[in-house]
Structure formats: C-alpha cells, structure tokens
Amino acid sequence: MKSKFFLMTAYTLLSVALAEAQTNVGEEDVDVVSTYNPVLADAVKTNVEPQVPKNNAKPEEQTYDLPLAFYPIAYQPVLVKPIRISDEKKPDLDNVYVKVGFGTQLTPLAEAYLNSNRSEKYNYGLFGKYISSNGTLENQNYSDLSLGGDAKFFFDDKYALPLHAYYGANTLHYYGYNNEDTTFDKKDIEQKFNKYGFDVAFHNIGDNPLDMNFGLQAGFTGISDINKYHENHPFLRAYAEKELQNKSIVGAAFDYDYFAYVGAGEHYNYLTGVRPYYRMTGDGWSLKAALETRVDKDNNAYILPDATFSYNLIGYKLAFVAGLQSHLQINDFENIVDENPFVKDTLRYVNSAITETWAGFRGSTNGNFSFTIKGYRKNASDLPFYINDSTDEKRFDIVYSDAGIWGGNIELSYFDADRFRFTAALNAFTFSDIAKLDKAYHRPTMEWTFSGMYSFNRKLSANLDVFGIGKSYALLSDGTEPEIPGTIDMNVSATYMYSKYFNIFLNCNNLAAFKYQKYYNYPSYGLQILGGISFSF
C-alpha cells in the first residue's frame, strides 16, 4: 500500500507540473512518455486510435507552450526517476521504431521514428508518417503526410534550448455534390493543404541567479492550399514566475501573434497579450487566478478573466470545484480549415471571445475509480456557424454570431493497471440564444465517448472506441433546414506482442458501417480494416 501511495503521489505531482508547463523539478530532467495512439482514417477522417499495452507503449509527442518536448521513441516503459536518490546509469532507449500496414480502400500506412539516446547535453527525435486511401468514391480518396523533428540542448544542468520543426501535407476532395452535376471537372474538387512551422525556445530547468522560473519562445507557422492561398503566423511567447515565502506563485506571461492571409481576399491582424497570474495551495484547497488582456490591430481590447477554486469535502476523495474561465478563440485560416476543410475561398476571419462559468465535483475511491461532473454556462461573441454557400452548396460559408450555451459534462474512469482501462464522457448542452440565426447550424448539442482496453495476457490486448454525436441542422440557399441525424461510430483494434521488438496489429474502423455525416452532403462510408506490423530496436 505504501508503494501504491508513493506512485500515485508521484504521478499527481508530475501531472500538475506538466499542466503548468514547468520543467524545474530539481537537478535532473524527468522524461515523460505517454501511450501511443496510431491513427487510422476513413473517408471523412474518422480516426482509429488504438493503444498498445502499457509495458510496450510507444509514447507520442507531448505538447507544451513552454518548454517544448522532443519526440520520444516507440515502446518505452514509463520511467520516472526520483530526484537525486541514485546516480545509477539509466538504461539505453530504443532508437528506431517502424510501423507498416495496409487496408481496405487500398490504404497504405507507414510510420518511422528515430530518437537519440539519453544525454546530459542534448536529445533529438525525427519522425515521418504517411497514410492514404484510394477508394471508388471521392470521399474515400485522401492522403496525409507529416514530417518533423525536435531537439533539446542542455547547459550546465540549469538551462535548456528546445527546437521544433514540422511539415504536413493533406489532400482531400469536395465530394458533397450531386453526382449528376456536370458543371465542373473532377480535378476542380481536389484540395491540398500544406502546413509548416519552426520555433526555438529557452528556459530554465534548475536554480538560477534570478531564483525564478522563466522561458522565451519564438517561431512561426504557415499554411497554403492548392490555389496558392496562404497564411503566415509568426509569434513570440515569454513567461516568468516566482515562488513567494508563503509557497504561493506569482507570475506573468506575454504573447504576440501576427497573422497575414493572402488568398481570394487579404486579411492582416496582430494580437498582443499580457497575462498576470497567481496560484496558491492551502490545506485542502487551491486557488488559481489570472487576468489576460489582448489587443488587436484595430485597438479592440479583450479582457479575459480566469479563476479556478477547489475545496476538499472528504479528504482527497471528493472535492468541490468551480471556476470562471475566458479565452480568445483565434479564427484564422488554419484553425477554420482544421475544423471544416470544406469552407469556401472567400471568408471573413473574426475571433471569438468565450467566457465559461462552471461548478461541479470531482472525486475518486480508494480503488481505481474516478469521476468529474460539472454544469456550465458559456457566453460566446462572434462564434462561427457553418451554412451551405448559396453559389456552391458543396462548400460552406461562415456566419459569426453571439450565442449563449447551457450544458453539463460528466467523465468516468476505471482501471486495473495490468488488465483493463475504461473511460467514458458525456457532454450535453443547448444554445439558449443565437443572435443572427434560428438554429446552431452544423453544431450538434450532444457528444459522448466510451473507450476501453483489455489485456488478455502479456502478449494480446484489444481496444474499443465508441463515440456518438447528436443531431444537428443545415441551412440551404432555398431557406430549408434539413436535419443531419445523430450517429454512433465504433472502432476496434487488437495488438499481439510477438516479441519484445516485434508486434502485429489489426484495426477495424466504423465497425457498425453506419453512413453518417458531420457536414451536410459529406457522408462517411462503411467499414475499413487495416493491419500490419511494427518493430523497434
């Protein structure tokens, strides 16, 4: 029981540290890895995300604002070393991971990861990933390519310099049209997005003469499409914080973003933000508070308060939690096409300020069960809603409107470390008021997920992922509002650990073979099966 308590405590402390994007954990770095989720996409890119057993899990990239993490290699157990308990040499890491597969709709899959070994001076990682499909219908034709790398250099056990670069190419088709329509060529419905970026950061990882934590990051991201429309986004981030004598933390963050879009129209904007914050933890309670101010090029100021409070009602088993959280949703070219890649070329880009007030409970038992339940109210200004374009109904226009949202959320988790893991979540809400529209077009008001993993033995494991969404509505050019039915999707996968270095996998996507659609006239078709092998050394 003591060992269990120690491991759970260590895990909790590590989670808090990652959430605050800090790396000052003492005189050594802690390498954090997580379960690998390989991606299987079908016609409208509904992904299978199977997970291999914990003892041979391939970690995926950890994402931070500051600092950045390098790519960990596949199939490494979680190693969390206590600070300065021992100077024993750490075991070498596997440096290469390769995965290949093939599936229905002529779907090849290839992944490769190259990782450096442990070093007190640097770490680096490179990756490449490709999947495509060539079905008989346009919605079954797509391709995804992603390449990237990370490196981190260390100086005197006190400072780190992370580097990150990536490139991605995604090809899809505007297949939401009447098949009898002959007013355009088939080549005109192809779209390709190229995404790229680079950034460099500098932050402390240990004690320093300033006796505070700090970090600085600069970089850029970009996106272009098949028509050579493009957007560039340079940015700058910085933060500094200090622990006070009462163990509370005070700090401030600064960010600057510039957006330059050139396409069917042009859009330029910048955002400058300052965010002072304060964190304090008492005996059975905690408080976090911040007040962010962001200003754009037209001198529009966004005041974004943020406060979270928790109080333990029954030890660590049950806590009351409440908060007021605000953020500015950036609706630039890249984020819009990430949400809906079928939008038309001539768009307005307006950012959305969203404020959420919420309250609820979180808890856990002495075993492995935990839960979170909350109710919330959101006020959103200029939230984007998608309607079919009046001149080309296979593409979508955006209407920005203020909206109010009432909702509730519940999450459950139960696991046995060596045998199984089950999680479930439900988010249901309603739009109480939409200023410019009659309905929340293309926005379902219920979504739920269920995920499970079961290990039959040390070699064979299986995963089940089920998700559902509620109905929504579309708005056509003739004023009709067709209903888009809700749906359920089910993905099943299995992994057989043939040896320490060699695995066999099988993924089944959309097992129920439902024909459903998230956007009007863009259905997903049928079952897809993909299998293959992976190995690491």
Side-chain angles (χ1 to χ4, degrees), residues 147-223:
L147 304 169
D150 289 86
K152 183 181 284 189
F153 299 90
F154 305 98
F155 305 96
D156 300 327
D157 293 330
K158 293 183 179 181
Y159 308 101
L161 181 74
L163 304 172
H164 172 65
Y166 70 91
Y167 170 78
N170 169 227
T171 301
L172 51 86
H173 295 82
Y174 300 121
Y175 60 87
Y177 61 89
N178 185 340
N179 289 326
E180 298 178 357
D181 189 350
T182 60
T183 60
F184 56 88
D185 295 328
K186 291 297 181 69
K187 64 180 180 63
D188 294 334
I189 67 172
E190 183 178 86
Q191 177 60 282
K192 183 176 182 179
F193 295 109
N194 296 290
K195 298 181 181 180
Y196 43 87
F198 172 80
D199 53 71
V200 58
F202 181 79
H203 63 88
N204 72 297
I205 57 176
D207 296 333
N208 59 81
L210 298 176
D211 192 27
M212 61 191 303
N213 293 322
F214 61 87
L216 178 67
Q217 181 187 35
F220 73 91
T221 64
I223 181 175

Side-chain angles (χ1 to χ4, degrees), residues 173-178 181 183-186 188-190 340-344 387-397 476 519-522:
H173 295 82
Y174 300 121
Y175 60 87
Y177 61 89
N178 185 340
D181 189 350
T183 60
F184 56 88
D185 295 328
K186 291 297 181 69
D188 294 334
I189 67 172
E190 183 178 86
N340 183 350
F342 311 115
V343 292
K344 69 177 188 177
I387 63 173
N388 290 76
D389 184 34
S390 59
T391 60
D392 184 359
E393 288 202 341
K394 66 179 180 295
R395 307 285 292 274
F396 295 88
D397 199 358
L476 306 185
Y519 296 105
Y520 185 73
N521 270 351
Y522 281 86

Side-chain angles (χ1 to χ4, degrees), residues 216-442:
L216 178 67
Q217 181 187 35
F220 73 91
T221 64
I223 181 175
S224 65
D225 71 2
I226 200 169
N227 300 310
K228 306 302 181 184
Y229 301 160
H230 61 275
E231 178 183 73
N232 291 317
H233 168 214
F235 61 86
L236 178 66
R237 310 272 186 264
Y239 77 91
E241 65 177 30
K242 185 176 179 62
E243 183 175 341
L244 304 180
Q245 291 183 353
N246 62 357
K247 302 300 182 181
S248 63
I249 293 175
V250 62
F254 168 84
D255 60 78
Y256 175 83
D257 297 88
Y258 181 78
F259 301 91
Y261 171 75
V262 178
E266 295 185 358
H267 174 75
Y268 301 92
N269 195 13
Y270 67 78
L271 289 166
T272 303
V274 178
R275 185 177 185 269
Y277 59 87
Y278 179 80
R279 301 194 302 270
M280 186 174 184
T281 302
D283 185 13
W285 62 273
S286 66
L287 174 65
K288 301 177 182 180
L291 182 62
E292 181 176 15
T293 302
R294 305 192 79 174
V295 180
D296 65 16
K297 76 176 184 64
D298 295 323
N299 292 322
N300 296 312
Y302 301 90
I303 308 300
L304 306 168
D306 191 342
T308 303
F309 173 76
S310 68
Y311 182 79
N312 293 341
L313 300 174
I314 306 176
Y316 292 99
K317 296 181 181 180
L318 181 65
F320 171 76
V321 291
L324 170 66
Q325 295 177 308
S326 306
H327 72 278
L328 187 65
Q329 177 177 301
I330 307 300
N331 298 316
D332 64 329
F333 180 50
E334 181 174 4
N335 291 336
I336 288 294
V337 299
D338 277 347
E339 183 175 44
N340 183 350
F342 311 115
V343 292
K344 69 177 188 177
D345 295 327
T346 54
L347 292 174
R348 274 191 322 127
Y349 298 103
V350 179
N351 296 324
S352 307
I354 301 174
T355 299
E356 176 182 354
T357 305
W358 57 274
F361 300 91
R362 66 168 181 243
S364 63
T365 66
N366 289 332
N368 300 322
F369 174 76
S370 62
F371 71 91
T372 300
I373 183 171
K374 73 173 186 178
Y376 60 84
R377 161 71 181 183
K378 291 183 181 180
N379 289 316
S381 63
D382 294 317
L383 192 67
F385 296 88
Y386 299 100
I387 63 173
N388 290 76
D389 184 34
S390 59
T391 60
D392 184 359
E393 288 202 341
K394 66 179 180 295
R395 307 285 292 274
F396 295 88
D397 199 358
I398 297 178
V399 174
Y400 295 96
S401 176
D402 295 349
I405 305 170
W406 290 90
N409 174 267
I410 183 170
E411 299 179 11
L412 307 172
S413 175
Y414 185 70
F415 72 94
D416 181 296
D418 297 322
R419 294 177 55 211
F420 59 82
R421 179 183 65 254
F422 300 109
T423 60
L426 170 67
N427 185 31
F429 54 93
T430 182
F431 287 87
S432 61
D433 180 44
I434 305 174
K436 298 180 181 179
L437 298 169
D438 294 332
K439 292 183 174 66
Y441 299 112
H442 286 101

Side-chain angles (χ1 to χ4, degrees), residues 54-73:
K54 181 179 178 182
N55 63 332
N56 280 301
K58 183 194 86 61
E60 64 184 10
E61 174 190 5
Q62 301 292 318
T63 302
Y64 303 81
D65 287 334
L66 284 171
L68 292 171
F70 69 102
Y71 281 93
I73 197 63

